[in-house]
């Protein structure tokens, strides 16, 4: 006898999707601090041995984030990420085949407020990365600060996140046999301060470190633009020169992370909260730009490849923007 299960109702699906997004948002907003508090608090209870053993493990395992991390496939394939994907929804688009015998460096744009598209597409299998790019293992760079929190470091490593430093990047790009993709959100935390709906401003004009890294490792460069990344949150106005922007820059210099004052909707209402709006995010991965390896590239060589990268990124944006409801008169602005 064949047993058929009734599909979940639409309201239930939406509640599950909203809960998945809420879990992700709050994990990055508070889990790092909570994990540290729990680690310290356990030391003063009868469960102090848990923190003591973890501290010993942390010391032994301290180099792991810089050595490619420790991805866990069960984590990457967890159903919660599929609910999160469907909430917006998030999609990944391939425009060219990637040879699994090579390593690649992807520049991801824009950062957005919380880089939802980057996380779903490169740190989970919800959008089908392994199906679109067979034989390619993705890695996404995250501020090194987040790997200093106990327990939280293991959480972020599970999805394929690694610290955003040269040592970690070189380890991935120099892996023999190829088949590795390193995604860098080039604009970084500072670009998040300009993330708001309808904005196409990228902090990229003077960001050339990733280009130099690609030349030093002979790694093809790939531009990727995530349409809709800036549309899922509103942000308090903070124009250049304003008192709020000066405070944000000051705090960023001290802590290493930016603090955009963002808002969107709540879990049970749609007027205010920190849950992102349900707006589509589509990450389009461009074609590889060939790079000739040189251990010590000159500034002119770096500038030349950087200009080529900006041109390829602009062409990728112009070619696909009409599909994602971007106005015809909107163009990328590099600052």
């Amino acid at each position: 006898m064949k047993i058929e299960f009734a599909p979940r109702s639409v309201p239930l699906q939406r509640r599950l999707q909203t809960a998945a997004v809420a879990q992700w948002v709050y994990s990055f907003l508070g889990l790092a601090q909570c994990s540290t508090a729990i680690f310290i608090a356990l030391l003063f209870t009868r469960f102090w041995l848990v923190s003591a053993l973890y501290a010993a493990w942390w010391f032994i395992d301290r180099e792991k984030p810089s050595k490619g991390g420790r991805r866990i496939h069960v984590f990457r394939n967890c159903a919660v990420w599929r609910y999160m994907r469907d909430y917006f929804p998030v999609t990944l688009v391939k425009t060219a085949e990637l040879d699994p015998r090579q390593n690649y460096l992807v520049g991801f744009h824009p950062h957005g407020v919380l880089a939802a598209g980057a996380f779903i597409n490169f740190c989970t299998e919800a959008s089908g990365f392994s199906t679109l790019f067979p034989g390619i293992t993705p890695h996404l760079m995250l501020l090194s600060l987040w790997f200093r929190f106990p327990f939280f470091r293991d959480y972020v490593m599970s999805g394929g996140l690694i610290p955003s430093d040269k040592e970690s990047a070189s380890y991935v790009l120099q892996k023999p046999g190829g088949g590795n993709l390193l995604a860098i959100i080039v604009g970084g935390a500072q670009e998040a301060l300009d993330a708001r709906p309808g904005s196409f401003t990228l902090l990229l004009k003077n960001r050339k470190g990733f280009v130099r890294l690609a030349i030093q490792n002979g790694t093809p460069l790939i531009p990727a633009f995530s349409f809709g990344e800036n549309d899922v949150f509103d942000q308090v106005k903070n124009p250049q020169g304003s008192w709020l922007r000066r405070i944000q820059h000051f705090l960023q210099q001290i802590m290493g992370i930016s603090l955009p004052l963002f808002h969107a909707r709540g879990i049970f209402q749609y007027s205010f909260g920190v849950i992102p709006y349900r707006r589509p995010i589509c990450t389009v991965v461009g074609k590889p730009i060939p790079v000739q390896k040189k251990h010590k590239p000159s500034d002119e060589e770096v500038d030349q490849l950087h200009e080529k990268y900006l041109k390829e990124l602009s062409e990728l944006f112009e070619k696909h923007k009409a599909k994602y409801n971007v106005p015809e008169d909107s163009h990328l602005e590099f600052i």
Side-chain angles (χ1 to χ4, degrees):
M1 181 177 66
K2 183 178 180 180
I3 300 176
E4 295 185 358
F5 295 92
R8 290 190 177 96
S9 65
V10 173
L12 178 57
Q13 287 279 12
R14 289 181 177 176
R15 286 196 293 271
L16 290 171
Q17 292 164 7
T18 304
V21 172
Q23 176 269 333
W24 172 74
V25 171
Y26 288 112
S27 71
F28 270 89
L29 291 181
L31 187 57
Q33 294 84 350
C34 290
S35 63
T36 303
I38 292 172
F39 175 81
I40 296 173
L42 286 175
L43 291 172
F44 300 94
T45 70
R46 59 178 178 174
F47 301 107
W48 62 270
L49 187 59
V50 174
S51 290
L53 290 174
Y54 183 83
W57 161 251
W58 192 0
F59 178 78
I60 296 171
D61 196 54
R62 63 189 182 280
E63 299 295 332
K64 192 62 178 179
S66 299
K67 303 298 182 183
R70 185 187 301 103
R71 65 183 57 242
I72 299 176
H73 293 290
V74 173
F75 177 90
R76 289 178 56 86
N77 286 283
C78 186
V80 69
W81 308 130
R82 293 192 291 274
Y83 286 119
M84 181 177 169
R85 172 203 63 195
D86 295 338
Y87 173 87
F88 294 99
V90 177
T91 53
L92 181 63
V93 175
K94 177 179 69 174
T95 62
E97 296 292 338
L98 300 186
D99 186 352
R101 294 171 296 181
Q102 280 191 304
N103 295 323
Y104 298 91
L105 196 159
V106 171
F108 182 93
H109 315 273
H111 183 286
V113 171
L114 293 178
F119 180 82
I120 282 293
N121 289 315
F122 298 115
C123 298
T124 80
E125 287 297 330
S127 57
F129 182 94
S130 295
T131 302
L132 283 174
F133 301 103
I136 304 294
T137 300
H139 302 265
L140 178 65
M141 302 200 85
L142 180 68
L143 281 174
S144 301
L145 168 71
W146 297 109
F147 293 87
R148 299 172 188 169
F149 293 95
F151 305 120
F152 188 76
R153 67 187 287 274
D154 301 281
Y155 169 74
V156 295
M157 277 198 295
S158 298
L161 286 153
I162 62 173
S164 56
D165 55 52
K166 186 176 180 180
E167 179 187 358
S168 302
S170 297
Y171 182 87
V172 172
L173 297 179
Q174 293 174 5
K175 275 189 173 182
N180 294 283
L181 180 148
L182 178 65
I184 300 177
I185 307 177
V186 181
Q190 188 175 344
E191 189 177 82
L193 298 177
D194 290 311
R196 47 179 46 86
S199 173
F200 300 104
T201 301
L202 302 181
L203 187 62
L204 188 55
K205 184 180 291 186
N206 296 314
R207 295 286 175 106
K208 302 177 182 179
F210 74 105
V211 174
R212 186 179 297 275
L213 185 66
I215 297 176
Q216 291 173 340
N217 291 279
T219 308
L221 269 174
I222 304 177
F225 192 86
S226 195
F227 292 91
E229 193 73 49
N230 283 340
D231 297 337
V232 297
F233 287 104
D234 289 316
Q235 190 173 166
V236 175
K237 291 184 179 180
N238 59 341
Q240 293 287 350
S242 65
W243 64 270
L244 176 58
R245 192 60 165 253
R246 288 196 295 269
I247 292 174
Q248 289 173 322
H249 278 307
F250 175 72
L251 293 175
Q252 182 185 348
Q253 291 174 354
I254 295 175
M255 299 184 295
I257 59 175
S258 64
L259 297 172
L261 298 181
F262 62 92
H263 58 91
R265 51 159 291 190
I267 298 178
F268 303 110
Q269 43 76 31
Y270 297 89
S271 57
F272 187 80
V274 294
I275 304 302
Y277 296 120
R278 298 176 65 98
R279 293 172 182 169
I281 298 174
C282 184
T283 302
V284 182
V285 180
K287 61 182 180 181
I289 302 171
V291 176
Q292 185 174 0
K293 185 175 182 178
K294 190 171 184 180
H295 182 60
K296 293 183 178 180
S298 65
D299 291 341
E300 291 76 13
E301 290 170 322
V302 172
D303 290 342
Q304 184 179 5
L305 181 57
H306 185 260
E307 284 297 322
K308 186 174 183 180
Y309 179 85
L310 295 184
K311 180 182 177 182
E312 291 286 345
L313 177 61
S314 295
E315 290 179 356
L316 181 72
F317 176 81
E318 296 295 332
K319 181 178 179 180
H320 294 274
K321 67 180 184 181
K323 303 175 186 176
Y324 305 109
N325 301 317
V326 176
E328 183 63 30
D329 58 351
S330 294
H331 308 283
L332 293 183
E333 178 186 359
F334 303 122
I335 60 174

